[in-house]
Amino acid sequence: MTTYSSSNCSQKFSVDVFSERRPLSESPWLHIGEFEDLNQAINSCKKVVDDFLSSRVNVAESADQLVADFLYHGDVPTISGAENLRSFDVYEYLAERSSQIHNLKGSN
């Protein structure tokens, strides 16, 4: 994954989460926060994914099931303000973390 320094960007990085569980009368977007540093924004996105995965680790039988659970039920974090730079790929991170978690679960 490619990361970029915020030194080239003068604006803050905004992290928002798309959630299909919100009432239809409300926006599906939830604002998580604004960050001066891109790495802080990326860590905020990773936390959204990690929190979901940790809640499902005991019921998922495989890494693929963890990924599927997130795709069906998880909130999807995004970063705005990176001027179209590929700063965080939620699906790449999801696959990587699901595999790591499942491997750790199997070694216990």
Side-chain angles (χ1 to χ4, degrees):
M1 176 173 58
T2 306
T3 58
Y4 298 92
S5 169
S6 62
S7 62
N8 296 336
C9 302
S10 60
Q11 62 189 26
K12 292 181 180 181
F13 298 95
S14 177
V15 175
D16 299 293
V17 173
F18 181 83
S19 175
E20 290 185 339
R21 295 187 308 254
R22 308 255 309 157
L24 291 177
S25 61
E26 296 181 22
S27 171
W29 290 97
L30 300 169
H31 183 67
I32 300 297
E34 293 197 7
F35 304 90
E36 296 286 337
D37 181 70
L38 179 58
N39 288 327
Q40 292 173 328
I42 290 171
N43 288 337
S44 179
C45 290
K46 287 179 177 181
K47 182 175 178 354
V48 171
V49 175
D50 289 342
D51 287 350
F52 179 86
L53 294 178
S54 68
S55 74
R56 303 293 300 162
V57 71
N58 292 326
V59 295
E61 302 268 332
S62 67
D64 288 342
Q65 187 175 3
L66 276 173
V67 170
D69 284 353
F70 181 86
L71 294 176
Y72 287 118
H73 306 291
D75 295 338
V76 180
T78 62
I79 300 173
S80 300
E83 300 297 336
N84 297 321
L85 299 177
R86 184 177 173 257
S87 55
F88 177 71
D89 184 331
V90 66
Y91 304 107
E92 180 180 299
Y93 182 73
L94 172 63
E96 177 184 310
R97 285 297 293 149
S98 295
S99 180
Q100 289 171 349
I101 289 170
H102 184 0
N103 288 339
L104 286 174
K105 181 180 172 185
S107 67
N108 290 336

